[in-house]
Amino acid sequence: MMSSVKNKTVEVVVFQNPQKRNKQESVLGRPIANKKKEDKSDAVLAKSKVFNQKQAKYDIRKLAIHGMDKQNKDKAKVDLLIELGAKPPKNRCYHIQEYQMLKKKQEEENKKSGLEIKTAMKKSKSDRRKRHKDDLFKTIDGQAGFFKEGVQFVNKLKK
């Protein structure tokens, strides 16, 4: 009796529902044989073969940045990010004593190089426009005289 059980092979039948078959294959990771998806993949391959000028320019610039030294690399990265739309970095904050020292050094360098910082100077009295007697009545807004506390004042002209 034991010998007859060993000789028999068991036949296993697995039922696959055709409606659920695509879902099961996608879960298992097997490729689904579908003509529509193959057509889409061909279109994607055709698009990828087109040369992208912007992407090439970006890749070349990244490669150039990679070969720079530390200071130039930081400046180049900031420039690239600003060009891509980022906001420029804010100015560095200094302690007041450090800032005064920097200003003194800059002034000394400017004196050595011969550059002088121009300061605002008052205009001399001769440069100022002399008011004519008729200007009292011809102001910017066409209003004669001036208002003070709701009362209009007009200066009389001496003839």
Side-chain angles (χ1 to χ4, degrees), residues 14-32:
V14 178
F15 176 74
Q16 292 185 353
N17 190 352
Q19 294 174 348
K20 296 182 179 180
R21 193 174 100 206
N22 290 340
K23 293 179 185 176
Q24 290 174 350
E25 287 180 357
S26 64
V27 169
L28 295 175
R30 297 179 193 155
I32 300 170

Side-chain angles (χ1 to χ4, degrees), residues 64-93:
I65 289 172
H66 183 70
M68 294 181 181
D69 61 334
K70 181 69 175 165
Q71 290 178 340
N72 290 339
K73 187 183 287 190
D74 291 340
K75 288 179 185 177
K77 282 182 180 180
V78 169
D79 291 340
L80 177 64
L81 291 174
I82 289 171
E83 189 174 309
L84 293 175
K87 292 183 180 178
K90 295 181 179 179
N91 293 335
R92 184 171 177 255
C93 297

Side-chain angles (χ1 to χ4, degrees), residues 111-122:
K111 286 180 182 178
K112 288 180 183 177
S113 64
L115 299 175
E116 293 183 18
I117 300 172
K118 294 182 179 179
T119 58
M121 297 175 60
K122 292 183 179 179

Side-chain angles (χ1 to χ4, degrees), residues 45-152:
L45 289 175
K47 284 184 180 179
S48 66
K49 290 181 182 178
V50 175
F51 183 73
N52 190 351
Q53 184 87 20
K54 288 182 180 179
Q55 185 65 35
K57 182 180 175 183
Y58 176 74
D59 290 339
I60 291 170
R61 195 160 176 188
K62 278 183 69 174
L63 183 65
I65 289 172
H66 183 70
M68 294 181 181
D69 61 334
K70 181 69 175 165
Q71 290 178 340
N72 290 339
K73 187 183 287 190
D74 291 340
K75 288 179 185 177
K77 282 182 180 180
V78 169
D79 291 340
L80 177 64
L81 291 174
I82 289 171
E83 189 174 309
L84 293 175
K87 292 183 180 178
K90 295 181 179 179
N91 293 335
R92 184 171 177 255
C93 297
Y94 294 104
H95 189 271
I96 186 71
Q97 293 172 347
E98 290 179 43
Y99 185 72
Q100 289 171 347
M101 294 284 286
L102 288 173
K103 282 294 184 183
K104 285 182 182 178
K105 288 180 183 178
Q106 288 177 356
E107 288 176 8
E108 290 173 5
E109 291 174 4
N110 289 339
K111 286 180 182 178
K112 288 180 183 177
S113 64
L115 299 175
E116 293 183 18
I117 300 172
K118 294 182 179 179
T119 58
M121 297 175 60
K122 292 183 179 179
K123 292 183 179 180
S124 64
K125 290 184 179 179
S126 63
D127 292 343
R128 294 183 187 156
R129 187 177 141 226
K130 294 181 181 177
R131 294 193 86 176
H132 193 268
K133 291 180 181 180
D134 293 336
D135 286 345
L136 294 174
F137 292 106
K138 295 180 183 177
T139 57
I140 295 173
D141 60 352
Q143 183 67 41
F146 61 94
F147 280 96
K148 185 175 180 183
E149 297 178 4
V151 180
Q152 185 177 13

